[in-house]
Amino acid sequence: MKTQPSIEKLYKFLSLEAQRGYDNGAVMGGLARMLENWATEARNDGLPEDLIGAVETRLRDYGRLTPKSRAEVLQGLWQRVQRSLKLPERMALPSPQPAAPARTEPQPAASPSPAAPRPASSPPAAEPPLPPEAFQKPVTAVPTIGPRRASTLARLGIHTLEDLLYHFPRRYDDYSQCKPIRQLRYGEQVTVVGTVEGVGVRKLRGGKLQVTEAVISDSSGKLRVTWFNQPWIADRLRRGMPVALAGKIDQYLGRLVLNNPEWEPLSKEQLSTKRIVPVYPLTAKITQRWMRRLLHEVVAQWAGRAPDPLPTWLRERAGLLPLPVALRQIHFPDSWDDLRQAQRRLAFDELFVLQLGMVRQREAWRQRQARPFPVEEPWLEARLEGLPFALTAAQRRALEDIRRDLASGRPMNRLLQGDVGSGKTVVAALAMAMVTHHGAQAALMAPTALLAEQHYRSLQRLLPQTTPDIAPEHIGLLTGSTPAAQRRTTLEGLAAGRIKILVGTHALLEDPVQFADLQLAVIDEQHRFGVRQRARLRAKGEQTHILVMTATPIPRSLALTIYGDLDISVMDEMPVGRKPVLTYLLMPRERERAYRLIRREVAAGHQAFIIYPLISESEALQTTPAAVEAHRRLQSEVFPDLKVGLLHGKMKPDEKEATMARFRDGEFHVLVSTAVVEVGVDIPNATVMLIEGANRFGLAQLHQFRGRVGRGGQQAYCLLIPETENAARENERLRALVETTDGFVLAEKDLQQRGPGEFFGTRQAGFDEARLRLANLLDVHLIEQARNLSQELIARDPSLQAPEHRLLKQRLAAFWREGRGEIS
């Protein structure tokens, strides 16, 4: 088969360059000069577009490389051409020759030789990796960055060379896949490349609104583009200028338009490359073109010598790219597949150090010894028979997990997660009874005095009737508002061992609180407590068993990351007889229907919550409802004959406690509140939960609100009112709450729609969540792969002492900020 003329020409020039020792002299003026005509010939010959792009990318910066890097680049490029076109072996390039003495000034010893970005299939860089500290140099080590530019980059969090390499693009424009204007469709998210035919600015609404309009054309048609209140764009666009625009195609008066797109000018060189172009996060005084040029320089100079912390066996087992290749491809990908592989490698790095820290913590905890607390089956069955209700199967499973932990001789470190109303308190009570049965003490810490009092009353009601050796006086309560005399008595009884179970708030952490023999610490709504607070409670005993509880259902992928160091028991079953809360989505114009329901329920002797997303209108934006103003209106206009209370986060703690206590005791018929009632409030008489501005809350949070009503066994109602009827997507999200009462289903939807920020705990877990630049906490497969390999690595080398793990140990320490305390 005859070789295409463009390939013959390329082979001739590259062979000559190899024979000359890679001196960039095969073409007059440098090898890049051949690109001017070669790309056109190659397209006429029908060569693949990605191959043409690869040749252009390699040769354009060829003259800036050292002879050694030139050899690697040309050899790698030609091998790709041979594979792609199935060229005969006789057309291999001559072997790399010793390079002629460099004509450029020598590089400093600590600085790597530059290397152009290469595809994942190219051979790795020949230069040895640099030590990690070389990448901690300030950005001013790059010749084109002075103090002023360094100060500007600092606003993006970029201070070092490593920060630059890890300043990843936020998206990519694929100029090889641009659609002709004639083929655009309404609603598409597109990148359009064309030429400016005209631009102007006009004023609307008496001059208050300025609209910049431009007409962009390509060979297939024209498109009108508009920007609102950005008149400076008209000064930047010039007739005849080639530009790229990215945005969503809209429609106006029957014609397709592009409103407020991102845009940048293009050179003819960029237009001809037709490659995937990175688009970076920017700040003031930095342009996309400057950032792209800077990153190209930094990637070429430094990525090839980045030290890879992953041992070779692990990288191969996971099917990951070498780090230098991944860094090149994440910035300047040769194809979408190369980009996906690079993103996968760098996301794996983040998840792996996260999981490695979790696994090390878990294994270290398991190596400790703790006092065992075995209980016989007859003893446990007698306790269960004394309960006024039968446990669900989920409660029995969780109790068995805890029983096994307490008998094991190793410290329990378990998370008990159960939906609202699933019965976590009774499981925790029985766990405490197992410990006190052997003469030890237990503590239960809650985030608020009101919740602590609720637990205290529950334990007073449950334990004495099921456990003969626990009397009401054996259970103490300690909060910030406990009277001094009672506090003194409680502390004395605790130190002497007369108080077997102490329930309280943060007050349990104070120094005067001394246990005689604390062996079990139960922490409710544990995300409300920081790492150090949990550690202080644990330190009140020796090798204390820990049980943490949460009423927020957690998706599996998030549980593996945030709580990867804990054993987890899931209670996904509701007690028999608990009626599901009936949930309805109402539009703002239907608000009176909600008020009628509240009046009906109050007339029947029940109570209602009305939740608002903001405290006052000063915080609000247009239609967003706020609690303080709504409370005044509801009391004076809507429910003048009822008592309406107000609760919000700016009230003092004792004011909030007093308000909730009055509502619990029936002094208020209706409580207007912000999200402070989300967790832990138990008002058995409340049967209506009305949520205004429901679209401003996540599904998990709305589910928590819903769980505050119907706790007394009566039929309860949850009414959702969004800010507007027109937000179809948001209102569709709210309908998921109408369709299911399964908190785990809603939590998964919330994670997909709103991201992990809706969930608690990552900032408290001991690592910096901002370090997760690429990791997707929905990617259960990659998370589990990282977890399995981290477990295998710790089994091989628990302390990471092997030489091949030295870099990984350093990376782990930096990620976890060692010395900050426990993980969870």
Side-chain angles (χ1 to χ4, degrees):
M1 185 175 103
K2 191 172 188 281
T3 306
Q4 296 96 325
S6 57
I7 290 299
E8 293 281 4
K9 184 176 185 178
L10 181 65
Y11 177 64
K12 181 181 77 171
F13 282 125
L14 297 193
S15 296
L16 178 58
E17 181 67 13
Q19 292 165 10
R20 293 176 59 91
Y22 305 98
D23 65 351
N24 199 24
V27 176
M28 186 73 70
L31 202 57
R33 291 291 298 275
M34 71 167 284
L35 293 175
E36 295 174 5
N37 298 315
W38 182 84
T40 302
E41 295 175 19
R43 289 187 176 93
N44 290 337
D45 287 341
L47 294 187
E49 197 61 49
D50 63 330
L51 194 62
I52 298 172
V55 172
E56 290 179 310
T57 301
R58 302 301 179 273
L59 298 190
R60 188 179 304 110
D61 297 312
Y62 181 79
R64 296 165 55 189
L65 306 181
T66 62
K68 186 175 183 180
S69 291
R70 290 172 186 167
E72 294 173 3
V73 167
L74 289 197
Q75 289 288 334
L77 173 62
W78 187 249
Q79 287 173 16
R80 177 171 177 173
V81 172
Q82 279 190 295
R83 283 196 303 272
S84 178
L85 300 179
K86 297 183 172 51
L87 299 178
E89 292 184 9
R90 63 177 175 76
M91 290 188 72
L93 291 186
S95 299
Q97 302 294 318
R103 296 187 177 95
T104 57
E105 293 183 12
Q107 297 284 334
S111 177
S113 301
R118 294 194 299 276
S121 56
S122 334
E127 296 92 345
L130 289 168
E133 50 269 25
F135 292 84
Q136 299 308 312
K137 290 182 178 181
V139 291
T140 49
V142 180
T144 55
I145 299 179
R148 184 177 296 178
R149 283 292 192 188
S151 176
T152 304
L153 288 170
R155 293 203 294 267
L156 290 166
I158 299 173
H159 305 279
T160 66
L161 292 172
E162 181 180 68
D163 292 337
L164 268 173
L165 280 174
Y166 281 80
H167 184 67
F168 300 137
R170 59 186 174 85
R171 74 160 206 271
Y172 301 83
D173 288 335
D174 188 356
Y175 294 155
S176 67
Q177 300 297 324
C178 289
K179 270 195 162 187
I181 290 175
R182 182 181 294 171
Q183 295 181 14
L184 298 177
R185 296 290 180 269
Y186 171 74
E188 286 183 319
Q189 194 77 31
V190 296
T191 297
V192 178
V193 172
T195 304
V196 178
E197 286 211 348
V199 62
V201 179
R202 61 189 177 93
K203 295 182 179 181
L204 299 175
R205 298 178 188 170
K208 292 183 179 180
L209 180 64
Q210 292 179 298
V211 179
T212 304
E213 293 182 321
V215 175
I216 308 298
S217 67
D218 64 11
S219 59
S220 72
K222 297 180 181 181
L223 179 69
R224 183 170 295 278
V225 184
T226 58
W227 292 269
F228 299 100
N229 280 336
Q230 300 179 66
W232 53 269
I233 293 179
D235 298 328
R236 303 263 184 99
L237 293 175
R238 297 183 306 278
R239 186 179 178 86
M241 175 190 287
V243 292
L245 307 104
K248 188 175 182 179
I249 297 296
D250 208 337
Q251 201 167 23
Y252 179 69
L253 297 178
R255 293 189 175 185
L256 297 182
V257 294
L258 195 55
N259 290 329
N260 288 318
E262 296 187 35
W263 71 279
E264 64 173 327
L266 294 179
S267 65
K268 290 183 178 179
E269 181 185 60
Q270 281 177 293
L271 282 173
S272 65
T273 59
K274 290 194 176 179
R275 62 163 297 152
I276 301 171
V277 176
V279 179
Y280 291 95
L282 301 176
T283 187
K285 299 182 181 179
I286 289 182
T287 66
Q288 194 61 240
R289 180 176 289 187
W290 183 86
M291 180 65 83
R292 194 177 291 140
R293 194 162 53 237
L294 170 65
L295 263 299
H296 192 276
E297 177 184 352
V298 170
V299 168
Q301 183 86 356
W302 293 88
R305 299 193 67 182
D308 197 331
L310 296 186
T312 303
W313 70 265
L314 192 150
R315 198 175 68 236
E316 291 176 350
R317 180 81 63 80
L320 301 171
L321 297 178
L323 181 61
V325 175
L327 287 172
R328 292 190 189 106
Q329 293 297 325
I330 194 82
H331 287 284
F332 300 101
D334 290 303
S335 68
W336 288 108
D337 183 62
D338 289 336
L339 173 59
R340 282 189 291 271
Q341 291 297 320
Q343 289 171 329
R344 180 173 177 272
R345 161 62 207 258
L346 294 165
F348 179 90
D349 283 2
E350 296 171 357
L351 292 171
F352 186 70
V353 291
L354 171 58
Q355 291 295 333
L356 196 60
M358 294 281 191
V359 171
R360 286 186 76 192
Q361 174 81 3
R362 183 176 178 139
E363 290 305 311
W365 186 248
R366 285 182 167 180
Q367 296 307 311
R368 300 181 187 182
Q369 298 295 314
R371 193 189 314 172
F373 295 94
V375 293
E376 300 299 325
E377 192 69 28
W379 180 91
L380 182 58
E381 287 302 323
R383 308 289 78 76
L384 297 179
E385 287 174 8
L387 292 173
F389 47 79
L391 294 188
T392 65
Q395 286 174 310
R396 294 294 296 255
R397 287 194 301 270
L399 191 61
E400 193 56 40
D401 290 340
I402 293 168
R403 178 186 175 191
R404 190 165 51 248
D405 287 347
L406 291 174
S408 69
R410 295 189 302 271
M412 177 169 68
N413 204 29
R414 183 168 293 278
L415 169 68
L416 179 61
Q417 64 162 321
D419 214 339
V420 176
S422 59
K424 297 181 295 299
T425 302
V426 67
V427 173
L430 291 168
M432 289 187 276
M434 293 179 194
V435 170
T436 59
H437 175 61
H438 289 270
Q441 293 171 304
L444 192 160
M445 186 167 70
T448 67
L450 190 71
L451 188 53
E453 289 171 10
Q454 287 176 188
H455 283 309
Y456 173 71
R457 287 195 299 272
S458 295
L459 296 178
Q460 288 271 351
R461 188 173 62 251
L462 280 171
L463 288 178
Q465 65 177 322
T466 61
T467 309
D469 54 358
I470 298 181
E473 61 267 22
H474 293 149
I475 305 172
L477 175 67
L478 190 65
T479 70
S481 58
T482 301
Q486 183 181 337
R487 176 184 295 267
R488 219 171 16 253
T489 302
T490 299
L491 292 178
E492 289 172 358
L494 190 69
R498 292 190 300 274
I499 290 182
K500 299 180 180 182
I501 296 173
L502 181 62
V503 182
T505 58
H506 297 75
L508 301 189
L509 306 177
E510 296 172 0
D511 290 335
V513 179
Q514 299 292 332
F515 290 83
D517 185 20
L518 178 64
Q519 287 296 311
L520 171 63
V522 180
I523 301 169
D524 192 25
E525 301 304 338
Q526 68 88 36
H527 60 286
R528 300 292 182 93
F529 299 98
V531 171
R532 290 184 178 87
Q533 292 169 317
R534 296 194 291 270
R536 282 178 63 189
L537 180 59
R538 174 176 273 162
K540 297 279 183 179
E542 290 189 11
Q543 305 299 346
T544 311
H545 295 276
I546 295 293
L547 177 66
V548 296
M549 303 193 298
T550 178
T552 301
I554 305 166
R556 174 168 171 72
S557 60
L558 213 55
L560 284 171
T561 48
I562 295 177
Y563 299 115
D565 61 317
L566 299 175
D567 297 308
I568 298 178
S569 294
V570 176
M571 288 168 43
D572 52 2
E573 188 178 351
M574 301 302 286
V576 176
R578 178 91 185 251
K579 296 178 181 177
V581 177
L582 299 179
T583 306
Y584 301 94
L585 178 63
L586 303 178
M587 292 301 109
R589 56 186 161 79
E590 300 176 290
R591 189 172 280 112
E592 184 55 39
R593 290 179 59 195
Y595 294 159
R596 285 200 300 270
L597 176 64
I598 290 175
R599 290 190 192 96
R600 189 191 78 189
E601 288 297 303
V602 169
H606 303 312
Q607 294 165 283
F609 291 94
I610 303 180
I611 306 297
Y612 290 87
L614 298 176
I615 295 174
S616 66
E617 287 183 355
S618 61
E619 300 177 303
L621 296 174
Q622 297 175 351
T623 60
T624 306
V628 173
E629 289 78 11
H631 171 256
R632 283 195 289 265
R633 182 181 60 83
L634 289 167
Q635 181 65 90
S636 62
E637 300 175 19
V638 182
F639 303 117
D641 53 330
L642 304 180
K643 291 181 180 179
V644 182
L646 174 65
L647 181 70
H648 58 74
K650 288 187 178 179
M651 296 168 65
K652 294 179 180 178
D654 55 344
E655 292 176 332
K656 287 190 283 188
E657 298 288 348
T659 299
M660 282 307 307
R662 292 177 67 188
F663 186 51
R664 180 193 64 208
D665 296 340
E667 291 186 37
F668 294 127
H669 300 102
V670 178
L671 183 66
V672 173
S673 176
T674 57
V676 293
V677 302
E678 174 190 345
V679 170
V681 177
D682 189 8
I683 310 293
N685 195 42
T687 57
V688 180
M689 173 64 68
L690 169 58
I691 304 169
E692 293 275 5
N695 53 293
R696 291 205 164 238
F697 299 104
L699 291 177
Q701 196 174 17
L702 291 169
H703 183 61
Q704 290 291 315
F705 291 143
R706 178 166 62 183
R708 298 302 108 211
V709 295
R711 300 171 73 88
Q714 313 96 330
Q715 181 60 63
Y717 307 88
C718 178
L719 310 176
L720 309 172
I721 302 183
E723 292 170 286
T724 172
E725 300 182 27
N726 301 324
R729 183 176 177 184
E730 278 294 294
N731 294 344
E732 187 63 34
R733 182 175 69 86
L734 294 177
R735 285 192 181 89
L737 204 76
V738 176
E739 293 166 1
T740 181
T741 57
D742 189 324
F744 290 92
V745 171
L746 293 170
E748 194 70 45
K749 284 181 178 289
D750 225 10
L751 182 60
Q752 293 169 1
Q753 293 171 351
R754 292 165 66 97
E758 189 63 33
F759 290 84
F760 50 75
T762 50
R763 289 197 184 278
Q764 296 184 351
F767 68 91
D768 182 359
E769 64 178 318
R771 300 294 298 274
L772 300 180
R773 297 178 176 96
L774 290 175
N776 178 3
L777 294 185
L778 288 169
D779 192 344
V780 177
H781 177 73
L782 195 62
I783 292 169
E784 290 184 331
Q785 185 181 43
R787 184 169 184 80
N788 292 338
L789 287 170
S790 63
Q791 290 172 335
E792 184 175 344
L793 177 61
I794 292 301
R796 290 188 180 200
D797 185 7
S799 302
L800 301 180
Q801 295 299 320
E804 65 177 334
H805 301 150
R806 179 179 58 85
L807 292 177
L808 186 56
K809 189 174 184 179
Q810 292 176 9
R811 181 71 63 89
L812 184 68
F815 186 88
W816 280 95
R817 303 196 305 271
E818 282 187 349
R820 288 289 301 275
E822 299 176 64
I823 294 172
S824 60

